[in-house]
Amino acid sequence: GIGVGAPGVVDAASGTVLNAIHLDWHNLPLASLLSERYRLPVQIANDSQAAALAEYLFGGCHTQANLVAIQVGRGIGCGVVLEGQLYLGDSFSAGEIGHVRAVEEGELCRCGHYGCLETVASCTALVRIAQATALSQPELYRTSLFSRAGILPDNLTLEQLAQTFRSGDRLSRQVVLAAAEHLGRAVAHLVSALNIHTVIITGEISAFGKDFLLAVQEAARQRILPAAAQQLSISSGCLEENVIILGASALLLIKELGLHPTRFPETMDGRQ
């Protein structure tokens, strides 16, 4: 069979991508299209939900039956595992935190609303905001590592932003830590509503390292009950590669073969 982790809101029952904003997909019957072409059973889930399932089953470094996995890249999505089961929600959109408003009267998002979390904390947003900051604050740019390296704002990449952030550059830290603050606020709402202690952050944002995670954790802890704050753990994912592929494969095994979703930590060292 074929397992797929697709962006957007996915009707897992019918295998339809209801709305994938960045791809302009609407009511796309992806499972039917793939099944017709390859003559195989197809299971589809949202990519962030697939990532959460993979971290739970194959991560090896998480011991809780409940976890939240937030994937930050071009967009922002979230997968939730409750009591060892992937939670999809009443209409399959559990974890769509990227399109919750983070900034009042913020910029227009591709979803049609203003100030969504994706507009201030996604990797795409980070590069765009860093470019705008460099242009609007020339004195800050002139003293930055970008200027010293001859990097023009229009040519700035995510890799360069991550590298200068880890090196302590003022411009980079101003932009990235502001994004961490926004993401931490979203985490606070999630962990307060679900009473979950384990939060995993995956995706391209992992390039910003430990300081970014600590800033997200601090922002979240400041906004939740002290008892919950003491137990909250925010870390990077255990699976460095193929996390969505692993989750989609696990979904296929569960749905098509009826396998019970049990952790397999031994896969981390290649023994199985």
Side-chain angles (χ1 to χ4, degrees), residues 33-89:
L33 294 172
L34 291 173
S35 181
E36 182 178 350
R37 171 170 292 191
Y38 296 106
R39 305 298 179 186
L40 290 169
V42 178
Q43 293 291 335
I44 297 181
N46 167 270
D47 53 0
S48 297
Q49 294 171 345
L53 185 62
E55 284 289 347
Y56 171 73
L57 291 175
F58 305 113
C61 59
H62 311 296
T63 60
Q64 302 298 320
N66 303 320
L67 65 83
V68 167
I70 300 174
Q71 185 168 297
V72 184
R74 182 181 181 185
I76 299 176
C78 171
V80 180
V81 173
L82 299 176
E83 296 298 325
Q85 302 289 331
L86 186 62
Y87 179 70
L88 303 179

Side-chain angles (χ1 to χ4, degrees), residues 47-271:
D47 53 0
S48 297
Q49 294 171 345
L53 185 62
E55 284 289 347
Y56 171 73
L57 291 175
F58 305 113
C61 59
H62 311 296
T63 60
Q64 302 298 320
N66 303 320
L67 65 83
V68 167
I70 300 174
Q71 185 168 297
V72 184
R74 182 181 181 185
I76 299 176
C78 171
V80 180
V81 173
L82 299 176
E83 296 298 325
Q85 302 289 331
L86 186 62
Y87 179 70
L88 303 179
D90 290 339
S91 56
F92 308 103
S93 61
E96 281 293 324
I97 63 171
H99 298 288
V100 172
R101 182 171 296 175
V103 179
E104 293 297 329
E105 301 181 0
E107 68 177 74
L108 179 65
C109 180
R110 284 180 61 90
C111 72
H113 294 297
Y114 290 86
C116 292
L117 184 62
E118 283 192 3
T119 67
V120 292
S122 67
C123 290
T124 304
L126 282 175
V127 173
R128 185 182 66 252
I129 294 170
Q131 291 171 331
T133 302
L135 293 172
S136 64
Q137 301 182 42
E139 292 184 3
L140 182 61
Y141 170 69
R142 281 195 295 269
T143 60
S144 71
L145 293 177
F146 302 120
S147 178
R148 296 174 192 173
I151 300 170
L152 298 175
D154 289 344
N155 298 326
L156 177 65
T157 66
L158 182 69
E159 291 76 18
Q160 291 166 339
L161 182 61
Q163 182 177 0
T164 53
F165 172 78
R166 295 193 303 268
S167 299
D169 178 66
R170 284 179 57 209
L171 191 157
S172 302
R173 293 187 72 82
Q174 176 180 309
V175 171
V176 175
L177 293 180
E181 178 84 8
H182 288 298
L183 191 59
R185 292 177 182 179
V187 170
H189 291 294
L190 279 170
V191 300
S192 295
L194 299 173
N195 189 29
I196 287 179
H197 300 152
T198 303
V199 177
I200 303 161
I201 298 181
T202 68
E204 293 175 285
I205 202 72
S206 300
F208 291 93
K210 185 177 179 180
D211 282 356
F212 178 82
L213 293 174
L214 290 174
V216 174
Q217 181 159 291
E218 182 61 23
R221 283 180 169 174
Q222 291 176 356
R223 292 169 172 83
I224 58 178
L225 290 171
Q230 291 178 359
Q231 300 180 73
L232 176 61
S233 169
I234 298 179
S235 63
S236 57
C238 300
L239 305 172
E240 295 183 0
E241 297 180 352
N242 299 326
V243 60
I244 297 174
I245 294 174
L246 284 170
S249 301
L251 184 70
L252 184 74
L253 295 173
I254 293 167
K255 296 292 185 180
E256 296 296 330
L257 298 182
L259 297 183
H260 183 73
T262 302
R263 290 192 186 93
F264 298 101
E266 62 272 7
T267 60
M268 291 297 293
D269 62 12
R271 284 181 293 165

